[in-house]
Amino acid sequence: QGQLVESGGGLVQDGGSLRPSCAASGSIFSLVAMGWYRQAPGKQRELVASISSGGSTDYVDSVKGRFTISRDKAKKTVYLQMNSLRPEDTAVYYCNRVTRAVSWGQGTQVTVSS
């Protein structure tokens, strides 16, 4: 199946920006919708943004207008541009297929300080 490797998280202040990326190997990436998920302490993992193989995007209401998902098929990489970050965005961020998820990567920590 291959692997998913997330990177690019970090610590930012309220209102700051980050751009995590997710590199996929093997056959994970091709012709499937990919998503960015997040899991905050004590909460369930949630899908926050998705992008179809054709480039259509969708977002959970709490990040609409602030986050932008994109993909580079040649590089087998998915990105999440996060602007106007808020303390409630603090979580570990993961990527995976939207359906038929494969093994989860280690995620990347995003911490937003107030």
Side-chain angles (χ1 to χ4, degrees), residues 26-27 49 55 61 63 69 71 82 102 104 106-107:
S27 62
D61 285 347
V63 309
I69 188 171
R71 67 194 296 170
M82 305 190 296
V102 297
W104 294 90
Q106 82 289 348

Side-chain angles (χ1 to χ4, degrees), residues 16-33:
S17 297
L18 286 170
R19 192 192 187 213
S21 61
C22 170
S25 64
S27 62
I28 297 172
F29 196 85
S30 60
L31 301 178
V32 294

Side-chain angles (χ1 to χ4, degrees), residues 57-73:
T57 59
D58 197 16
Y59 302 91
V60 68
D61 285 347
S62 60
V63 309
K64 281 181 181 177
R66 301 187 297 121
F67 291 10
T68 303
I69 188 171
S70 61
R71 67 194 296 170
D72 184 326
K73 290 185 176 181

Side-chain angles (χ1 to χ4, degrees), residues 21-102:
S21 61
C22 170
S25 64
S27 62
I28 297 172
F29 196 85
S30 60
L31 301 178
V32 294
M34 295 292 294
W36 276 98
Y37 300 74
R38 67 184 179 189
Q39 187 167 21
K43 295 187 177 181
Q44 289 190 332
R45 189 175 293 167
E46 65 169 339
L47 176 64
V48 297
S50 64
I51 185 166
S52 71
S53 60
S56 298
T57 59
D58 197 16
Y59 302 91
V60 68
D61 285 347
S62 60
V63 309
K64 281 181 181 177
R66 301 187 297 121
F67 291 10
T68 303
I69 188 171
S70 61
R71 67 194 296 170
D72 184 326
K73 290 185 176 181
K75 295 182 178 179
K76 295 185 178 181
T77 301
V78 183
Y79 304 95
L80 187 67
Q81 179 66 48
M82 305 190 296
N83 299 327
S84 302
L85 282 162
R86 305 166 181 169
E88 54 264 40
D89 295 318
T90 295
V92 180
Y93 284 72
Y94 305 85
C95 72
N96 212 318
R97 293 176 169 179
V98 174
T99 57
R100 293 185 297 153
V102 297

Side-chain angles (χ1 to χ4, degrees), residues 7-21:
S7 62
L11 172 63
V12 296
Q13 291 187 332
D14 192 351
S17 297
L18 286 170
R19 192 192 187 213
S21 61

